Each structure stands twice: as structure tokens, then as C-alpha cells.
């Protein structure tokens, strides 16, 4: 029910233009779309998602003390999960996914979401809040909970090669890498736990099919480890050599896609087309980050106003906060959907070229 940005460059441009039309228009339009499209449960109650387990997660999350930005991120992740599961149900009905590979991946993605937001019933000692929005709050000398990253960061910081602005860009890259390590650990933990469960259960998947699903899980882990190694190598190079004048992009996720595209053996025309689309995508990422920051500020202001107790003032600020919250979720979903489309496009085109 969302108007997704497709992976065509012209659509990305249209999407960017749409994003720039102004908060008032967008907020009204978005709220209207949401109200028209909100699903209902068996009792006729309006619910957030069309899949019961996602609603259960969402209701539980609202009772937890998650920050507004984190809650918006969870909402976007659940929307992506909903989209993927609805697509899978359609494929399944048409006779696809006979070996259960896609179903296993969806289950794994869902477990990763639970673990990522501390909802898997496992006590997580890792810090839940990311510092990516609070550049100035990070403790000196121990910023990334990883000895290799901390050592590299401290070396880069004291090298004198970077301006303050470049250091902030570099820090965003380090933070992105830290988040990826965190995601890898969650995925590895999820896979090892589900394997333990499968060992003790008589599974309908036997023989070759079971082997295939196990192989697919480990292929995903290996690919993520390869991405981590390439990412670290890039950070090491950046820290030693500094930013080059011809750096195409600023955002870590976009840089990562561009690096993957350059490795994917694409033609010059395909690369040029992708580069243009990545510039549009980068604008979307930056816009989303801006809204996350505004949401955080709006929440702080709301708390301040609530403490003062002026009902009219509270109502006005609550409405502003709710609008910002919905917009941040929506933009997060569209950004993650676009990221998915771009990743698939790059790996698909790369595969086609390698097969030729």
C-alpha cells in the first residue's frame, strides 16, 4: 500500500522531488494513506501490520523503553519483513520455494529483528543505542567496542590528516562498520541457536533439502564476513591515506554499494546509470537521518512541555511529534526498500556478467 520508489533512476528522482514537497503536504498525504490502508484483526480492531506475529512484536516494543528513533527503525524493519512475507506467500501459492529456502531465510530475518531490538528473550550485554546520531557524546579512546576499530580510529584522529568535517565523515564510516559487526554477531548467534533446535527436532526437511538450507545459511554468513573484511580494509586504507578529492559519495551505505558495483564487473553504461541512482539514494539517506535527528529533538521538547503541564501546549507538541514519528517510519521503510532493490540489482547484474 506504499508508493515505493522503484530501482529505476527516473523513479528515484521522482521520489526525491516528492520528498521535497514539504512536511505539511507529505504528513497529510501520508496520514491519509495510512488510514486508508490500515489492516484489521479478527475482532475488527485496526492494527499496524497484516501479519499477527508482527503486531505482537510491535505491541511489545511500544511497552519497552526504546528511544523514538529506535522504535521508528523497528517499524521500518517490520514493514520490510511484512512486504517480504506477503511476497513469499504469493510465490508459495504459485508453487515456488519447494525446498523451503526462502521460508528459512524469512524466519532467520525475523529472528534477527527480535535479537537486534532485544526482544528474543536473551539478555543482551551489547549496548542497544547507537551513537551514530550523537557524534559528540562518544567517549574518547573507546568509541567502537572493537579493539581493531578503536586502534585504527585513534591513529586516524591523531594523524592530523583530517579536517573536523572529514573526521565526522570517517566516524560515520566506523560507526557503520561497528553496526555491521553487531549484525553479523546477531546473525551468527541466530543461526547457531536454530541449528541446535533443529538437531533435536524431527524435521520435515530431510536429506538433500535440509543440507541445502544449511548450506544456504552458511553461504550468507560467509558473504557477510567477506563484506566485513572488505569494509575493514577500506577503513584501513582511508585512515592511512585520507579522503581523495574524487570521493563520489559521503554516506557509508552508499559507498558500500558503489564499491560492490565496481567489483561486480558491470559495463561503463551500467555503472554510470547506477552512479546516478546512488546519488538520488544518498539524498534519501541524508533526508532520513535529518528526520531522525528532528524526531529526537521533538521527543525531548515534548518531555519538557509535559513536565510543565500546559495541556494545550502538550497537545500541539504531541501532534507534531506524532507526525514526525510517522514520517520517519515511512522514510525509513522507503529507504530500506530502495537499499534492498539496489543490492539485488547489483548482485543480479554482477551474476549475469560472470555467467557470460
Amino acid at each position: 500500500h506504499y508508493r515505493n520508489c522503484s530501482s529505476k533512476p527516473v523513479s528515484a528522482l521522482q521520489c526525491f522531488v516528492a520528498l521535497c514537497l514539504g512536511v505539511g503536504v507529505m504528513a497529510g498525504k501520508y496520514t491519509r494513506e495510512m488510514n486508508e490502508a490500515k489492516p484489521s484483526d479478527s475482532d475488527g480492531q485496526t492494527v499496524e501490520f497484516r501479519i499477527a506475529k508482527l503486531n505482537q512484536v510491535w505491541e511489545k516494543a511500544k511497552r519497552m523503553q526504546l528511544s523514538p528513533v529506535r522504535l521508528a527503525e523497528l517499524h521500518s524493519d517490520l514493514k520490510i519483513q511484512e512486504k517480504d512475507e506477503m511476497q513469499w506467500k504469493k510465490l508459495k501459492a504459485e508453487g515456488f520455494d519447494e525446498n523451503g529456502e526462502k521460508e528459512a531465510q524469512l524466519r532467520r530475518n525475523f529472528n534477527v529483528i527480535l535479537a537486534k531490538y532485544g526482544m528474543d528473550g536473551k539478555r543482551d550485554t551489547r549496548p542497544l543505542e547507537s551513537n551514530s546520531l550523537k557524534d559528540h557524546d562518544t567517549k574518547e579512546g573507546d568509541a567502537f567496542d572493537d579493539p581493531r576499530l578503536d586502534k585504527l580510529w585513534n591513529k586516524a584522529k591523531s594523524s592530523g590528516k583530517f579536517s573536523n568535517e572529514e573526521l565526522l565523515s570517517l566516524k560515520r564510516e566506523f560507526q557503520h562498520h561497528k553496526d555491521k559487526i553487531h549484525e553479523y554477531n546477531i546473525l551468527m548467534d541466530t543461526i547457531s541457536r536454530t541449528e541446535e533446535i533443529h538437531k533435536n527436532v524431527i524435521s520435515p526437511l530431510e536429506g538433500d533439502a535440509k543440507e541445502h538450507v544449511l548450506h544456504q545459511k552458511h553461504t550468507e554468513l560467509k558473504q557477510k564476513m567477506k563484506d566485513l573484511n572488505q569494509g575493514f580494509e577500506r577503513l584501513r586504507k582511508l585512515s592511512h591515506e585520507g579522503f581523495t578529492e574524487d570521493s563520489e559519495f559521503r554516506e557509508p551505505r552508499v559507498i558500500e554499494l558503489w564499491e560492490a558495483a565496481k567489483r561486480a564487473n558491470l559495463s561503463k553504461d551500467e555503472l554510470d546509470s547506477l552512479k546516478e541512482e546512488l546519488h538520488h539514494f544518498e539524498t534519501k539517506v541524508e533526508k532520513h537521518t535529518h528526520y531522525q535527528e528532528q524526531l529526537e529533538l521533538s521527543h525531548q521538547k515534548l518531555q519538557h512541555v509535559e513536565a510543565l503541564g500546559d495541556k494545550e501546549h502538550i497537545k500541539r507538541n504531541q501532534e507534531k511529534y506524532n507526525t514526525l514519528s510517522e514520517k520517519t517510519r515511512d522514510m525509513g521503510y522507503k529507504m530500506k526498500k530502495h537499499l534492498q532493490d539496489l543490492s539485488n540489482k547489483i548482485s543480479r547484474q554482477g551474476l549475469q556478467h560472470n555467467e557470460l
Side-chain angles (χ1 to χ4, degrees):
H1 60 272
Y2 288 105
R3 297 192 176 98
N4 296 334
C5 306
S6 81
S7 51
K8 293 176 189 169
V10 64
S11 300
L13 180 58
Q14 286 165 344
C15 183
F16 169 51
V17 171
L19 286 176
C20 296
L21 286 174
V23 179
V25 178
M26 281 294 285
K29 174 174 168 285
Y30 174 60
T31 309
R32 190 169 64 251
E33 280 184 4
M34 283 294 288
N35 289 338
E36 284 167 6
K38 280 271 173 85
S40 303
D41 63 11
S42 53
D43 301 328
Q45 297 287 313
T46 301
V47 288
E48 200 69 29
F49 301 97
R50 287 168 289 177
I51 296 170
K53 68 178 178 185
L54 302 184
N55 280 314
Q56 287 165 2
V57 170
W58 180 242
E59 290 305 318
K60 182 181 176 183
K62 287 194 294 186
R63 295 192 294 271
M64 292 166 69
Q65 295 299 302
L66 295 179
S67 74
V69 169
R70 206 160 160 71
L71 199 59
E73 276 292 279
L74 169 63
H75 193 279
S76 307
D77 283 342
L78 290 174
K79 272 285 165 203
I80 291 285
Q81 182 74 15
E82 178 183 55
K83 172 189 70 71
D84 290 346
E85 293 212 14
M86 299 302 274
Q87 281 175 352
W88 170 77
K89 279 179 181 172
K90 194 165 176 282
L91 284 174
K92 183 83 173 162
E94 290 166 5
F96 293 96
D97 198 36
E98 282 183 5
N99 61 12
E101 185 178 312
K102 183 70 183 162
E103 185 180 9
Q105 188 177 14
L106 284 171
R107 199 180 306 121
R108 199 154 63 245
N109 291 351
F110 179 66
N111 288 332
V112 165
I113 290 173
L114 294 182
K116 184 176 166 185
Y117 295 93
M119 300 170 78
D120 57 347
K122 183 169 176 270
R123 190 171 176 275
D124 195 348
T125 52
R126 293 169 297 223
L128 280 177
E129 296 294 338
S130 159
N131 273 326
S132 55
L133 293 178
K134 303 171 187 161
D135 288 317
H136 52 282
D137 287 351
T138 318
K139 280 186 289 186
E140 291 297 313
D142 186 27
F144 303 104
D145 306 322
D146 181 284
R148 284 203 312 171
L149 283 183
D150 289 336
K151 188 178 173 187
L152 203 55
W153 169 248
N154 289 327
K155 205 170 175 183
K157 213 167 48 166
S158 56
S159 68
K161 282 189 191 121
F162 300 95
S163 66
N164 286 342
E165 197 179 328
E166 285 175 332
L167 266 181
L168 276 179
S169 295
L170 186 64
K171 187 171 189 179
R172 279 210 307 273
E173 297 240 13
F174 271 77
Q175 181 64 47
H176 176 64
H177 193 78
K178 174 190 166 179
D179 292 343
K180 284 187 69 180
I181 292 172
H182 183 59
E183 281 169 23
Y184 176 83
N185 289 334
I186 284 174
L187 182 65
M188 193 163 66
D189 189 43
T190 302
I191 285 175
S192 58
R193 276 196 285 164
T194 49
E195 279 184 8
E196 277 303 310
I197 293 162
H198 285 316
K199 273 182 202 169
N200 303 319
V201 173
I202 299 167
S203 168
L205 286 177
E206 289 304 336
D208 292 345
K210 197 168 185 177
E211 277 303 308
H212 182 73
V213 171
L214 282 177
H215 174 72
Q216 196 246 351
K217 281 198 246 180
H218 291 288
T219 305
E220 192 179 344
L221 265 182
K222 270 200 288 202
Q223 185 55 50
K224 284 205 181 290
M225 178 49 83
K226 190 180 171 189
D227 291 347
L228 276 178
N229 288 335
Q230 283 166 340
F232 184 78
E233 195 48 43
R234 190 178 173 279
L235 281 180
R236 198 182 62 74
K237 196 172 175 219
L238 254 185
S239 303
H240 286 115
E241 298 172 15
F243 288 95
T244 55
E245 286 301 312
D246 61 344
S247 293
E248 285 287 347
F249 302 102
R250 299 171 300 277
E251 281 294 328
R253 273 170 289 200
V254 185
I255 291 165
E256 197 171 57
L257 286 169
W258 180 236
E259 295 291 326
K262 287 192 291 187
R263 289 193 300 270
N265 197 19
L266 305 182
S267 71
K268 187 181 181 305
D269 284 351
E270 284 171 328
L271 271 179
D272 288 345
S273 167
L274 197 65
K275 188 193 288 188
E276 189 183 338
E277 187 175 355
L278 285 171
H279 278 296
H280 296 313
F281 177 62
E282 184 166 62
T283 304
K284 201 181 289 184
V285 173
E286 287 170 344
K287 192 102 175 163
H288 178 238
T289 303
H290 170 73
Y291 270 92
Q292 285 182 314
E293 288 164 358
Q294 292 305 307
L295 180 63
E296 188 62 54
L297 289 171
S298 174
H299 183 247
Q300 287 168 12
K301 191 174 178 188
L302 179 60
Q303 285 179 315
H304 175 68
V305 168
E306 281 173 343
L308 297 175
D310 178 342
K311 284 186 179 174
E312 192 52 43
H313 211 167
I314 291 171
K315 185 168 177 275
R316 266 204 318 275
N317 278 276
Q318 184 71 54
E319 282 169 1
K320 275 185 194 170
Y321 171 74
N322 289 347
T323 300
L324 259 177
S325 185
E326 282 196 351
K327 265 198 62 62
T328 308
R329 290 176 201 172
D330 183 39
M331 290 173 80
Y333 168 75
K334 285 177 177 169
M335 187 200 72
K336 286 176 183 187
K337 167 78 170 65
H338 200 169
L339 178 64
Q340 247 188 0
D341 291 345
L342 283 164
S343 302
N344 291 339
K345 188 176 182 178
I346 290 165
S347 56
R348 197 166 54 241
Q349 285 181 334
L351 275 174
Q352 282 168 0
H353 281 272
N354 290 335
E355 284 166 3
L356 292 177

